[in-house]
Amino acid sequence: MPITYHEISALRAVLRPYRSQQRIALVPTMGNLHKGHIALVELAKRHADIVVVSLFVNPTQFGIGEDFESYPRTLIKDTELLAAVGADYIFAPNVDEMYPVLPPPTSINAGAITTKLCGKSRPTHFDGVGIVVSKLFNIIQPDVAVFGQKDYQQLTIIKQLVRDLSYPIEIIAAPIVRAADGLALSSRNQYLTEDERQIAPVLQQELQRLGAQLQSSDGIAKGLETLLAQTSQRLTDAGFVVDYLALKSMSLEDIADDQLYLLARDNHDVIIAAAAWLGRARLLDNYPLTLTL
Ligand code: PAF
């Protein structure tokens, strides 16, 4: 059974003796764990001796009117799942412990990347992720930390944070875990009604279809802007409200214009990234591919 700590000082004290001999992994989460999180813990166990999972619904990454209050908090069930997968420690601080002053006057801003994609509709989100992840890195001082590829922009920002702030931490990217019908697992999927849940896999299907089109001579003839617009329209027709749909380089630089799209077609690794509302749920997904045509 993992031991749960709510206080920073207690967790630091228990981790201190391990530091010289053993590798510590951090899996940061907001709790309400599903199979996607469990896969992160399994990956962490392969890279470290001691696995710490943080469960903290971080207020600073939620915007006004977002679901901070209603975000599901399920500590008992999460603890059972973490016991089953063999996590060693749980860090579940309350808001006062993490933020003696809220909002904190200190900020971590990762620059231009935070204004793109999700940052357009959630302008303060990545500052909140930046500060909480920095705090978790400083509290736990892990050797490795595992983040999911579903939140691809977040993963890119964390890698940048580690580079720019010289954290001695290896960042491990975990593949997206999907339901049998292709829907990427997410705590927010539970906001979907039964009907919406049937529609939800269409998001990944459309990203894959767009990927295939980008690789075809038909697609090249149509041009990127047309293909993006057609995909957006199909998602809208299926019932989604598209927040964004974009083709980016893997470093998330813009290549969203036809000329660059053509220039990129030489074994170039790109990612199709999308966020779309379906009822109350904002679904996030992506589809990486190598343009080879
Ligand atoms: O990906 C998440 O669940 C959160 O953004 C994270 C990294 C745990 C920070 O609160």
Side-chain angles (χ1 to χ4, degrees), residues 21-247:
Q21 305 286 337
Q22 292 184 291
R23 276 167 73 78
I24 299 173
L26 166 65
V27 180
T29 80
M30 297 208 299
N32 195 237
L33 304 181
H34 51 66
K35 284 184 184 150
H37 296 111
I38 301 307
L40 301 183
V41 178
E42 283 166 350
L43 192 55
K45 280 168 68 86
R46 297 217 295 272
H47 286 84
D49 309 297
I50 302 291
V51 176
V52 182
V53 180
S54 63
L55 306 176
F56 179 61
V57 184
N58 172 37
T60 61
Q61 71 188 76
F62 288 78
I64 293 162
E66 291 186 357
D67 55 347
F68 173 67
E69 304 294 342
S70 59
Y71 199 88
R73 286 148 171 97
T74 50
L75 181 60
I76 294 171
K77 185 164 167 269
D78 292 347
T79 305
E80 284 165 10
L81 290 172
L82 290 173
V85 68
D88 298 286
Y89 296 104
I90 294 173
F91 180 47
N94 64 27
V95 172
D96 293 345
E97 180 73 1
M98 283 298 268
Y99 295 111
V101 177
L102 189 69
T106 305
S107 65
I108 301 276
N109 180 277
I113 188 173
T114 65
T115 63
K116 297 175 182 177
L117 303 174
C118 288
K120 282 192 184 148
S121 58
R122 307 186 75 193
T124 58
H125 172 67
F126 291 113
D127 289 3
V129 171
I131 192 149
V132 81
V133 170
S134 299
K135 287 176 70 81
L136 291 168
F137 283 176
N138 289 326
I139 293 164
I140 291 144
Q141 298 175 37
D143 299 285
V144 297
V146 185
F147 291 83
Q149 275 169 350
K150 183 171 81 68
D151 300 313
Y152 189 80
Q153 187 175 12
Q154 169 173 282
L155 174 67
T156 308
I157 287 170
I158 302 298
K159 285 182 179 165
Q160 186 186 293
L161 190 80
V162 164
R163 182 197 66 194
D164 292 350
L165 299 183
S166 306
Y167 280 113
I169 301 172
E170 182 191 347
I171 300 302
I172 297 172
I176 299 177
V177 179
R178 298 183 180 281
D181 61 9
L183 175 64
L185 297 192
S186 162
S187 300
R188 290 187 168 109
N189 290 351
Q190 61 197 279
Y191 298 158
L192 297 167
T193 63
E194 263 176 46
D195 287 349
E196 288 161 356
R197 178 62 190 80
Q198 301 303 312
I199 298 168
V202 171
L203 180 58
Q204 175 60 200
Q205 287 159 16
E206 284 298 341
L207 299 192
Q208 290 186 17
R209 176 168 165 162
L210 175 60
Q213 286 175 326
L214 290 170
Q215 298 278 47
S216 73
S217 40
D218 262 13
I220 296 173
K222 279 187 182 161
L224 177 62
E225 294 308 324
T226 305
L227 293 178
L228 288 172
Q230 287 177 346
T231 304
S232 260
Q233 189 57 52
R234 273 196 298 275
L235 287 168
T236 306
D237 294 345
F240 292 88
V241 176
V242 178
D243 184 354
Y244 64 80
L245 172 70
L247 178 71

